[in-house]
C-alpha cells in the first residue's frame, strides 16, 4: 500500500511517500480503508523522540476516518462498507496510509451527514477536550471556565463543549484569532501576547478567579494558571503537570486532573478503551446536529503532511488540518 514513511526518529520533516506492507486485522479488530487522516501536534512530538515499540519505517497518524474493508474474528458490530472513525494506538502504525487497523470496540460510526474529513478532524483534539470537561470536571459545580488556546484543536473543541454545557467561557488567543474563538462560543477572549492574563481574569470574575482551567499549552502555562483559580478550583492539564509547589497545601484547595487520552489503549481496562468510542459517538452526534464544528480549516494531500506538521510545530495553525488519502 501507499504510505507516508518515517524512516527514523527525528526525521519527520523528511517523510516521503513509499510502499509499505498492507496490514491485516486480527481477532477483535477491523481493517479500515483510510479516506482521511487528521494532523495533530502529537505526530511531530512523538516522531521527534520515537517510541521503543516502533519499527522503521513507521507510519504516523492517530486520527483515522474511512470504510471497513475487513473484520476480524469475533467482530459482529461492524460490516464491510461501514463508515468509521477512530483514535489510533500510538504504539502501532497509524493512518497516513491507504489502510489502517483498529480495535472494533474503540471505533465510532460516522453519521451520514458528516464527511470523512470532518470526522478525521475530531479524535485526538476533540476526545481530549470532551474527556477534560465531561470525564474530569464536576461541571455541575463549574460556572466560569478558562480554556487556553481557543484557536487550536483542543482549545477550540473545549470552548464549544463548555458553551454547550451552559458555562461562561473565557479563552486565550492571539489577537487575529479573537473573532474565530468568539464564533466558537467564547464569551471573552484574552490576547496572551499583549494582555496580562491574571489581571484580565480577575477583572472578569470580580477578583474571585475561574472555577476551572483547561490547559493544553505547556507545563509553564499550567503552573501560571494556578494563580487564576478560585477557591476549590480545578486545573485540567494536558501538556504536562504544573509546579505543584506553587500553591501551599490547605490553602486554595485546588483539584488537579491529568489528561492522557492515548493512555486508554494501554490501560488494560476494557471500559476505558471502549469509552473512546462512546466519546466519539457523542461528539459525532453533536456534529451531525450542527451543534459542534469540526474546526476543519484545511484539507491537504498525503504528500503535504510534513510541511503542514512544520506549521503545526510553529503554533500558527487555526483549527484543524486533515489529509485526504482517498
Amino acid at each position: 500500500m501507499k504510505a507516508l514513511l518515517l524512516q527514523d526518529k527525528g526525521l519527520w520533516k523528511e517523510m516521503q511517500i513509499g510502499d509499505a506492507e498492507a496490514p491485516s486485522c486480527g481477532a477483535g479488530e477491523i481493517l479500515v480503508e483510510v479516506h482521511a487522516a487528521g494532523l495533530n501536534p502529537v505526530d511531530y512530538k512523538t516522531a521527534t523522540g520515537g517510541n521503543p515499540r516502533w519499527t522503521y519505517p513507521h507510519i504516523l497518524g492517530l486520527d483515522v476516518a474511512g470504510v471497513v474493508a475487513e473484520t476480524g474474528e469475533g467482530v459482529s458490530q461492524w460490516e464491510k462498507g461501514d463508515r468509521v472513525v477512530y483514535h489510533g494506538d500510538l504504539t502501532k502504525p497509524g493512518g497516513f496510509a491507504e489502510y489502517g487497523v483498529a480495535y472494533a470496540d474503540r471505533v465510532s460510526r460516522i453519521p451520514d451527514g458528516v464527511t470523512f474529513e470532518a470526522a478525521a478532524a475530531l479524535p485526538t483534539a476533540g476526545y481530549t477536550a470532551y474527556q477534560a470537561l465531561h470525564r474530569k470536571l464536576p461541571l455541575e459545580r463549574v460556572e466560569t471556565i478558562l480554556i487556553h488556546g481557543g484557536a487550536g484543536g483542543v482549545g477550540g473543541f473545549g470552548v464549544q463543549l463548555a458553551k454547550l454545557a451552559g458555562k461562561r467561557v473565557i479563552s486565550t488567543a492571539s489577537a487575529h484569532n479573537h473573532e474565530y474563538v468568539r464564533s466558537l462560543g467564547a464569551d471573552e477572549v484574552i490576547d496572551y501576547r499583549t494582555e496580562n492574563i491574571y489581571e484580565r481574569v480577575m477583572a472578569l470574575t470580580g477578583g474571585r478567579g475561574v472555577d476551572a482551567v483547561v490547559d493544553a499549552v505547556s507545563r509553564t502555562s499550567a503552573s501560571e494558571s494556578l494563580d487564576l483559580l478560585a477557591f476549590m478550583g480545578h486545573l485540567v492539564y494536558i501538556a504536562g503537570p504544573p509546579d505543584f509547589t506553587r500553591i501551599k497545601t490547605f490553602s486554595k484547595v485546588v483539584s488537579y486532573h491529568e489528561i492522557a487520552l492515548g493512555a486508554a489503549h494501554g490501560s488494560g481496562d476494557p471500559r476505558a478503551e471502549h469509552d473512546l468510542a462512546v466519546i466519539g459517538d457523542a461528539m459525532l452526534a453533536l456534529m451531525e446536529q450542527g451543534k459542534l464544528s469540526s474546526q476543519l480549516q484545511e484539507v491537504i494531500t498525503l504528500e503535504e503532511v510534513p510541511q503542514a506538521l512544520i506549521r503545526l510545530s510553529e503554533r500558527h495553525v487555526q483549527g484543524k488540518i486533515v489529509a485526504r488519502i482517498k
Side-chain angles (χ1 to χ4, degrees), residues 44-120:
Y44 67 78
K45 289 180 180 179
T46 53
T48 297
N51 186 290
R53 296 183 64 178
W54 291 355
T55 57
Y56 295 95
H58 178 70
I59 302 169
L60 299 173
L62 293 178
D63 295 354
V64 184
V67 172
V68 176
E70 294 179 14
T71 59
E73 181 183 352
V75 175
S76 59
Q77 67 268 52
W78 300 109
E79 296 181 355
K80 186 176 180 179
D82 287 342
R83 302 170 74 242
V84 296
V85 63
Y86 63 89
H87 177 270
D89 184 339
L90 178 65
T91 65
K92 299 181 178 182
F96 293 152
E98 292 182 308
Y99 290 92
V101 171
Y103 289 103
D105 62 344
R106 307 177 200 179
V107 175
S108 296
R109 188 180 304 276
I110 302 176
D112 291 339
V114 177
T115 67
F116 289 114
E117 292 80 9

Side-chain angles (χ1 to χ4, degrees), residues 78-261:
W78 300 109
E79 296 181 355
K80 186 176 180 179
D82 287 342
R83 302 170 74 242
V84 296
V85 63
Y86 63 89
H87 177 270
D89 184 339
L90 178 65
T91 65
K92 299 181 178 182
F96 293 152
E98 292 182 308
Y99 290 92
V101 171
Y103 289 103
D105 62 344
R106 307 177 200 179
V107 175
S108 296
R109 188 180 304 276
I110 302 176
D112 291 339
V114 177
T115 67
F116 289 114
E117 292 80 9
L122 184 59
T124 295
Y127 297 8
T128 295
Y130 193 98
Q131 194 176 77
L133 269 72
H134 291 284
R135 296 293 186 266
K136 291 288 189 175
L137 290 178
L139 279 182
E140 71 279 3
R141 296 194 295 275
V142 171
E143 294 181 1
T144 302
I145 183 168
L146 170 66
I147 297 176
H148 283 295
V154 175
F157 282 117
V159 167
Q160 294 182 79
L161 291 171
K163 196 60 183 178
L164 284 171
K167 309 306 173 183
R168 183 188 181 197
V169 182
I170 303 171
S171 189
T172 59
S174 299
H176 67 276
N177 284 322
H178 282 202
E179 183 177 348
Y180 172 70
V181 177
R182 285 195 177 92
S183 75
L184 296 176
D187 298 290
E188 304 285 350
V189 187
I190 301 170
D191 185 351
Y192 67 92
R193 296 179 184 274
T194 63
E195 297 184 85
N196 183 302
I197 298 176
Y198 175 82
E199 291 180 357
R200 287 280 285 127
V201 167
M202 291 302 148
L204 290 169
T205 60
R208 179 176 177 272
V210 293
D211 297 307
V213 174
V214 175
D215 187 281
V217 178
S218 67
R219 295 186 66 173
T220 298
S221 178
S223 297
E224 293 173 349
S225 293
L226 293 174
D227 297 337
L228 310 177
L229 291 172
F231 182 74
M232 292 189 68
H234 299 261
L235 174 66
V236 185
Y237 58 90
I238 296 152
D243 175 5
F244 295 109
T245 66
R246 193 176 181 113
I247 293 182
K248 294 181 179 180
T249 56
F250 297 99
S251 60
K252 209 170 186 177
V253 201
V254 168
S255 293
Y256 301 93
H257 308 275
E258 179 185 35
I259 296 291
L261 184 74

Side-chain angles (χ1 to χ4, degrees), residues 277-291:
V278 174
I279 292 173
D281 291 342
M283 297 194 76
L284 286 164
L286 290 173
M287 197 176 290
E288 184 183 34
Q289 295 163 16
K291 296 180 179 179

